[in-house]
Each structure stands twice: as C-alpha cells, then as structure tokens.
Amino acid sequence: MLTTREPAVLVLEDGRTFTGRAYGHRGTTVGEAVFSTGMTGYQETLTDPSYHRQVVVMTAPHVGNTGWNDEDDESSRIWVAGYVVRDPSIRPSNWRSQRSLEDELDAQGVVGICDLDTRALTRHLRERGAMRVGIFSGEAAAAPRERLLTTVIDAPPMAGASLAEEVATSEAYVVPAVGERRFTVAAVDLGIKSMTPRMMAERGIEVHVLPATTGIEDIRALSPDGVFLSNGPGDPSTAERQAELVRGVLADRTPYFGICFGNQILGRALGFGTYKLKYGHRGINQPVMDRTTGKVEVTAHNHGFAVDAPLDRDSDTPFGRVRVSHVCLNDDVVEGLECLDVPAFSVQYHPEAAAGPHDASYLFDRFVQLMEGRGA
C-alpha cells in the first residue's frame, strides 16, 4: 500500500482551489467534477463506464475500508478520471478484500486526492454546478496556480461530448440465459454494467450485447424478442445514431427497455429535448416515485442530463401517446418514460443497482411481461 502522502492540489475551473495529499496514482488528471452520495459500493462506482471523464467526489467521509476484490467490478477497468476522498482507510478490513483501494487506483493510473474538505467541495458544486476540475500531485502540484487553472480550462466540457463509443464493446458477445431460454434480447452497449445482462439472464433471457454503432438492420437480422439500450457517458444530444436506431425499434413495435442513457435516447427518439442538470444525480439513495403504482423507491443514479418532458399530461409523439412514468421526489426531474401505444418504456436510474438498493429490480420483470405480451 502506498503510504507516502505528497502534497496535492485540486483546482476547479472557476478558480476555487483545495489543497490535500496525493491518493492513488501520482500525476495530473482533468475531467468534470461531480459528487456521489453513496455510502458504499465504491468499487462498482469506479468501474461504471458512465463515469468516463468525470472526477468523482465522495461525500461519505471514510472510503476504502472494504478494500478491492476481483468479483465486484462492473466492467473491465476503472473509468473515473480522478477520485476525491476525505479520509482514506488506513488498511482494508473485509474477508473478500484482495488488495487496497489505493493500490488498485495506482495500478490503473487513477490520480486522486485525499485529506481535503469534501463537504465544502460538495457544497461548492451544489451552488455553482458541476464543472471542469484538475487534480495535480507529485511534481505537478508545485506548478504555479495560474498554469494549473489553464490546464483545467483547456479540458473539454461534458456538454456536447460524445463518449459512448469510447467505452462500449467493439465486438458482439452473448450472455446465455440461466436455465431455459425464454427470450432473446439485443442489448446495445453504451457503457453497460456487467450486472445488467446478468439480471436479464436470471430471467431466462439470452442477451446479445452489441456495439454502440449497431444499426436497425443489425437488430432486425437478429430478430430479438426485445431491445435494450444501456447506461453510458456523455451528452445525449450527440447520440443521434442511437436515437435513429430506437425510432426503427419503435416503428417495428419491438419491445424496448432503456436505462439511464437509454432513457434519454428514447426521449430524443420520441421528440423530447434533453438538458444538462446543474449538478446531476449520483449515488444509491435517490427517492423516485413510480407514478403507475404510487410506490416510492430508493434508487441508484448516475446522470448529469435529463429528459425535458411534461409531468402534468400525456404527450403526443410520432409513435403515439407517452407519459412520464417516474419522477425524482427531490427535484421533479423526469426519471422514466412509458409509451402507451407501442411497447416501450425506460427509466433514468439503475434497476440492476449492484451494491444496492434493489427496490427497482422489478423493472426487468416488467420488460419480460412486455415481451410476453408481444407473443400473446
């Protein structure tokens, strides 16, 4: 475990600066500063491809106490651009731990910072909004602040970023159904987490995971019972290729289920706009109401963009009527869409929720029911 704590500095694009100590890999990194309110599940957060090009600030004060193992990764690598914690664990203490969190960050080249006031940093991001940030440690931390700020400002913003193809698989692969195969689903990978096809497989679904560049003719050639679009990073306004794919799926009346990025893409395919949230929703404790049942769920989120759709009425679209099915109780942000005249729905959060909570896992069953209805 790395024990030497050289000085490090975090510089926001508005000039606010926080000093701390090096954590993980030493060097320089830039990205969008966002905060996550999860109290646990940091390994799943770090390996979620939706965090590509983002520097994650943990609001939980003590991080790393359960170490790192080789079973809980949500993808093949850590995707965050940088990591910010207040008090790193001195040593891991968990029977499943195989090495420390800091050793894994260092091995994968993830630059972090610790021993700074993450509460003050989080309050600043809530007030000013998510913004570009740089972490500088080792020799880089000694550079003049003006030079560091220039490095941050020169980094590309998240608005307008097309990132899904950077994190998605380049080759199609199959996750077989557990037990008897009941359905075949084409899952377009925009940054898919490993738990997602696993939860579908547990319901008798053979999942064909396809690249982000997949077109409607590729889907039709597979003749799936349903189509799924995953979570992923970037600005949904750049995902016109995927929105056109979803329009083809809706026109074919193939059952559709989307989560996170897949929800935003469904919204754009239906003609709704999307917009960037001030600081987004990230964590595993966000309250959402399912307006179909009136049930309130505690859910896992990771999104900085949202669909702009009316909450007070159904909308007429080229594919029939659509209503907002889920809404965040903190700020009334649209958290789900339901098509009333074609078999399609989506949610903005993570029903697979590795590390929990599991309130929304029933949505995979709803997808199964949609496919069952198609064959009726």
Side-chain angles (χ1 to χ4, degrees), residues 98-180:
Q98 294 168 289
R99 52 197 170 276
S100 74
L101 168 59
E102 183 167 19
D103 283 346
E104 189 67 20
L105 292 170
D106 185 43
Q108 296 200 36
V110 179
V111 176
I113 185 172
C114 67
D115 295 343
L116 77 167
D117 190 344
T118 52
R119 185 169 65 172
L121 175 55
T122 299
R123 287 173 63 91
H124 188 80
L125 295 175
R126 278 182 58 90
E127 293 169 1
R128 304 292 180 89
M131 65 183 76
R132 287 168 293 184
V133 66
I135 300 174
F136 307 89
S137 60
E139 295 181 1
R145 292 290 192 271
E146 295 77 11
R147 187 187 306 170
L148 302 184
L149 181 58
T150 298
T151 300
V152 173
I153 293 174
D154 287 345
M158 188 58 66
S162 179
L163 302 177
E165 292 180 20
E166 296 181 12
V167 304
T169 183
S170 58
E171 300 290 337
Y173 62 93
V174 176
V175 178
V178 175
E180 178 186 359

Side-chain angles (χ1 to χ4, degrees), residues 46 53 60 90 196 200 205 233 265 269 301 368:
L46 290 165
R53 258 180 48 185
I90 298 174
T196 303
M200 285 193 275
I205 299 173
I265 291 170
H301 289 221
V368 168

